[in-house]
């Protein structure tokens, strides 16, 4: 009897532990939303200014395939999450926005995300954009980053919480290249403008570096592209297509 009771208690204890642990192991939609989406779309999904509301949005509630493709590849100021979120994470965060804030649509399956990711990868691979950079662009970009940016964003790219945003793992940095170049050229709030002090090639090297350092992965840019953005033009670089890194040995 005593042994049975102990075993029963042990099993109950083990099940309790599993129940406590499993939500932390699975991709957590609300958490991921807080980290990756809430700054723009707001914690309540109501959006703000240029950032559209996700509550009642046709794009959110409509075709799951189109929604997944949209968030994977971004559009305008909406960053691409292809290189930021795993399939399971993207499925969790999309399921969260489709079922929260009063939204009431079916969750998104991991398999669908994997399928859409593979389809669009195939599309973009056929159309690589040539960039004109020196062979050792990664090292050159790193040096320029260390002397111009690291005082605030840190050599690790982790930034300083509350003061300087992390560039490592940032969806913004790996998103639309036009936006990143424009920000470095013209600055914003506490972020200084570098358009006056750095030349196009130097900016191209820095932007290419931050988009590919610390496990970031996004298309490089060259001096001509910086010139285009300086002149108010747009790049035809999206969706983000990671290319090989000639200076990084792969
Ligand atoms: C840096 C700000 C920013 C972040 C971070 C961001 N978005 Fe967006 N999002 C935008 C902007 C801007 C648009 C409008 C894009 C357009 O239509 O040109 C948008 C549009 C959308 C739309 C389409 C809404 C509609 O009704 O057309 C969805 C869905 C969406 N975002 C989901 C997400 C999700 C999910 C995340 C997090 C994984 C996220 N966004 C993170 C800025 C952001
Ligand atoms: C004096 C400190 C400082 C320096 C130096 C600096 N930044 Fe920033 N940076 C900031 C601040 C502050 C912000 C946040 C701006 C805001 O609130 O919109 C920022 C934002 C950014 C962002 C946007 C991040 C995001 O996720 O929204 C990028 C990209 C960036 N900086 C790149 C750079 C690069 C590249 C350099 C070097 C050429 C650089 N910064 C130099 C302070 C700095």
């Amino acid at each position: 009897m005593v042994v049975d009771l102990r075993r029963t208690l042990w099993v109950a204890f083990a099940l309790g532990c599993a129940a406590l642990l499993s939500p932390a192991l699975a991709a957590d939609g609300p958490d991921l939303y807080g980290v990756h989406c809430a700054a723009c779309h707001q914690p309540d999904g109501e959006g703000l200014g240029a950032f559209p509301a996700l509550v009642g949005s046709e794009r959110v509630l409509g075709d799951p395939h189109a929604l997944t493709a949209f968030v994977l590849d971004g559009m305008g100021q909406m960053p691409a999450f292809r290189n930021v979120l795993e399939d399971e994470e993207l499925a969790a965060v999309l399921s969260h926005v489709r079922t929260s804030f009063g939204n009431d649509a079916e969750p998104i399956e991991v398999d669908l995300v994997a399928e859409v990711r593979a389809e669009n990868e195939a599309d973009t691979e056929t159309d690589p954009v040539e960039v004109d950079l020196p062979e050792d662009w990664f090292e050159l970009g790193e040096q320029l980053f260390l002397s111009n940016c690291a005082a605030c964003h840190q050599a690790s790219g982790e930034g300083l919480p509350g003061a300087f945003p992390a560039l490592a793992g940032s969806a913004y940095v790996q998103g639309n290249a036009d936006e990143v170049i424009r920000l470095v050229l013209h600055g914003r709030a506490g972020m200084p403008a570098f358009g006056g002090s750095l030349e196009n090639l130097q900016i191209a090297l820095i932007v290419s570096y931050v988009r590919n350092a610390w496990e970031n992965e996004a298309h490089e840019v060259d001096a001509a592209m910086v010139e285009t953005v300086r002149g108010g033009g747009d790049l035809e670089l999206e969706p983000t297509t990671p290319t090989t890194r000639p200076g990084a040995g792969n």
Side-chain angles (χ1 to χ4, degrees):
M1 268 319 272
V2 174
V3 173
D4 273 1
L5 179 59
R6 276 177 147 184
R7 171 175 291 180
T8 309
L9 286 172
W10 169 244
V11 168
F13 174 69
L15 286 174
C17 286
L20 281 174
L21 283 175
S22 52
L25 294 173
D28 184 323
D31 260 16
L32 289 164
Y33 181 83
V35 172
H36 295 286
C37 322
C40 295
H41 295 289
Q42 305 300 297
D44 59 3
E46 293 287 353
L48 182 75
F51 308 122
L54 303 183
V55 181
S57 150
E58 268 176 42
R59 206 168 231 148
V60 170
L61 297 170
D63 178 28
H65 190 287
L67 171 65
T68 305
F70 180 84
V71 177
L72 272 173
D73 292 323
M75 179 189 285
Q77 290 193 44
M78 163 69 191
F81 284 89
R82 173 177 293 277
N83 299 319
V84 177
L85 298 176
E86 307 277 346
D87 292 347
E88 196 185 309
E89 295 172 322
L90 193 56
V93 76
L94 291 178
S95 297
H96 174 66
V97 299
R98 276 164 69 90
T99 57
S100 307
F101 328 118
N103 282 348
D104 184 16
E106 291 287 305
I108 298 231
E109 303 286 340
V110 179
D111 288 354
L112 177 76
V113 176
E115 199 178 293
V116 177
R117 186 191 292 272
E119 276 168 22
N120 294 21
E121 230 145 31
D123 286 355
T124 52
E125 265 166 21
T126 56
D127 187 23
V129 178
E130 290 288 317
V131 291
D132 181 12
L133 284 174
E135 183 75 6
D136 53 348
W137 63 267
F138 191 82
E139 289 73 21
L140 293 171
E142 181 174 31
Q143 285 161 22
L144 286 163
F145 176 82
L146 291 174
S147 44
N148 291 286
C149 324
C152 296
H153 295 288
Q154 308 299 297
S156 63
E158 299 290 341
L160 290 177
F164 307 119
L167 307 185
S170 155
Y172 182 88
V173 170
Q174 296 170 89
N176 195 323
D178 303 42
E179 293 293 329
V180 185
I181 295 173
R182 205 168 287 130
L183 173 65
V184 175
L185 282 171
H186 306 303
R188 177 177 84 196
M191 161 73 191
F194 289 87
S197 56
L198 296 179
E199 293 174 6
N200 290 342
L201 177 60
Q202 293 176 305
I203 291 178
L205 289 166
I206 294 179
V207 170
S208 298
Y209 173 75
V210 299
R211 283 162 68 85
N212 288 281
W214 322 294
E215 294 184 18
N216 283 356
E217 203 182 354
H219 209 297
E220 301 92 64
V221 299
D222 61 18
M225 293 172 178
V226 177
E227 180 59 31
T228 302
V229 176
R230 237 188 233 274
D234 289 320
L235 303 179
E236 308 261 318
L237 258 187
E238 302 316 316
T240 293
T241 50
T243 58
T244 54
R245 291 166 37 179
N250 59 354

